[in-house]
Amino acid sequence: MLKTWGWALFLILLVSTGCAGKKTVVVLAPDPDGKVGSIAVTGEGGSVVIDAPYRGTTIGDDRNPTPPEDLGKARVEKTFGAALSVQPLRPLHVILYFGEDTSLTAASERLLPEILAAIAARKSVDIMVVGHTDSLGSREYNMDLSRRRAQTVKELLVKKGVPASAIQTTSHGKENPLIPTPDNVAEPRNRRVEVVIK
Amino acid sequence: MRYLALLVMAVVVWSGSCAYGASDHIGIVKTVSGEVSVVRGGRSIAADPNFRLQEGDVIRTGPSGKAGLILEDDTVISLGPGSSIAITNFLFQPNERKLSLVARVLQGTISYLSGQIAKLMPSAVRLETPRATVGVRGTHVLIEVD
């Protein structure tokens, strides 16, 4: 018990000492796809906006962010290289569409290689396969249909060598349409399975 | 007397994080290199790849450790050596528009790559440092705390 308290105390001290004498540097970098967003950095002494890549601000004891300056790509990559070297790829979301039953559309079938490549690139053991239906038919029927659609995709992936243990399937029936419709409406865009690869 | 106050605070923090322990996971530690640990409820746990994170966790790397995290909304965070970050607040229920991501960079070098929360509701994302707070609009941010 005393030990646990000791740890908790240590944590608090870590947090509270973190508030004293720590210089902070905040830098904006391009997204992996090359796009550049923007950030607002706010201290008690003021606020700055950064909207160009590799520009950064420093916040010292006065808690007033310095005007953003160009730090240069090389310097930024030197400081943050270690962190960037283990940055996971963003998870990939792919939507596969179906006919009225559990057969994939031809266009969706052509996406399978992309899915397999993404699994390999991420060495993924965390693949979510989520089945959906349109609103035609009863709740029970659609729950079962969405489960069978997810199972179909899982089996396709397993047949291509993905370990079954890496794939989790769930089914949402007609409860989570991509395109909201009234009940009992055929909507091909809702007959789908979403695959998320982490 | 001051110790007593600290102890009370410690218990409050500790029991608070225990309550979070009951909830579902908020993400995973995807990449691990060298010494990486997660401090949860006052205990330090060694993190292997695919370690499941919970709200309130503090992720720490040793002097030669590195780690990459993926949160449930596709936010990607990575840590250089000698770094620590607390995922203070995480809520991702897009259907109910319940969205929140608050992370506190305590030490070291951190890369943050925005996910769906930042896309759906930029104001719901806050990166805190000892000296300043960063608000983001769908973007890639690097933070160093000395």
Side-chain angles (χ1 to χ4, degrees):
Chain A
M1 192 61 191
L2 207 63
K3 203 175 167 193
T4 313
W5 281 20
W7 267 110
L9 265 177
F10 172 69
L11 252 181
I12 287 173
L13 291 174
L14 197 75
V15 172
S16 54
T17 51
C19 303
K22 291 214 163 175
K23 193 183 77 171
T24 298
V25 177
V26 181
V27 185
L28 180 64
D31 289 357
D33 59 11
K35 268 191 282 181
V36 177
S38 79
I39 53 176
V41 183
T42 307
E44 278 168 28
S47 184
V48 298
V49 171
I50 307 176
D51 53 14
Y54 303 110
R55 293 182 79 83
T57 176
T58 302
I59 309 97
D61 284 336
D62 62 353
R63 293 167 190 267
N64 187 12
T66 57
E69 58 172 329
D70 188 0
L71 301 177
K73 189 179 174 190
R75 191 171 140 198
V76 170
E77 281 176 355
K78 186 159 180 274
T79 304
F80 293 96
L84 293 170
S85 73
V86 292
Q87 181 165 280
L89 292 170
R90 266 188 174 137
L92 181 73
H93 294 242
V94 180
I95 296 179
L96 300 171
Y97 293 95
F98 288 75
E100 285 176 15
D101 51 11
T102 59
S103 54
L104 277 170
T105 65
S108 289
E109 214 157 321
R110 286 195 291 273
L111 295 176
L112 285 174
E114 186 195 333
I115 292 175
L116 292 167
I119 292 171
R122 290 164 179 76
K123 298 187 180 72
S124 181
V125 293
D126 198 345
I127 304 155
M128 283 286 294
V129 174
V130 188
H132 301 273
T133 68
D134 62 22
S135 64
L136 204 58
S138 72
R139 195 172 175 275
E140 291 71 27
Y141 169 80
N142 282 307
M143 200 50 91
D144 181 61
L145 177 58
S146 66
R147 188 190 57 73
R148 286 187 285 124
R149 281 180 181 158
Q151 194 59 32
T152 301
V153 172
K154 178 176 178 173
E155 280 162 16
L156 279 171
L157 296 178
V158 169
K159 212 178 285 177
K160 296 283 184 188
V162 180
S165 62
I167 307 171
Q168 283 176 282
T169 59
T170 47
S171 35
H172 289 193
K174 58 177 174 179
E175 312 300 327
N176 256 326
L178 197 60
I179 311 294
T181 68
D183 203 19
N184 271 310
V185 171
E187 173 50 73
R189 286 172 294 177
N190 287 335
R191 298 175 194 144
R192 70 202 196 278
V193 162
E194 186 179 16
V195 183
V196 183
I197 302 140
K198 279 192 188 143
Chain B
M1 195 57 212
R2 185 176 291 170
Y3 275 124
L4 190 66
L6 269 174
L7 278 178
V8 170
M9 270 173 65
V11 171
V12 169
V13 170
W14 180 51
S15 55
S17 49
C18 276
Y20 288 134
S23 69
D24 212 352
H25 75 289
I26 61 159
I28 55 168
V29 179
K30 174 73 181 175
T31 49
V32 172
S33 167
E35 190 197 334
V36 179
S37 60
V38 172
V39 182
R40 176 181 298 167
R43 285 197 320 127
S44 179
I45 312 161
D48 296 320
N50 297 299
F51 181 95
R52 294 185 154 213
L53 294 168
Q54 294 176 0
E55 193 177 46
D57 281 351
V58 179
I59 301 91
R60 306 177 63 186
T61 56
S64 59
K66 295 181 280 187
L69 324 175
I70 300 178
L71 304 186
E72 282 297 284
D73 76 319
D74 298 346
T75 296
V76 173
I77 293 172
S78 56
L79 294 78
S83 303
S84 60
I85 186 169
I87 312 297
T88 317
N89 216 296
F90 185 87
L91 191 58
F92 181 57
Q93 293 167 13
N95 288 348
E96 288 105 78
R97 298 281 295 168
K98 288 184 182 164
L99 305 164
S100 170
L101 169 57
V102 181
R104 177 167 267 267
V105 182
L106 304 167
Q107 181 72 51
T109 49
I110 301 284
S111 166
Y112 157 92
L113 200 50
S114 60
Q116 294 180 51
I117 295 176
K119 197 184 266 180
L120 294 168
M121 198 192 283
S123 63
V125 178
R126 204 167 73 233
L127 306 175
E128 300 174 341
T129 77
R131 284 278 176 260
T133 299
V134 184
V136 305
R137 261 158 295 183
T139 200
H140 186 187
V141 187
L142 305 169
I143 298 174
E144 180 186 28
V145 175
D146 247 341

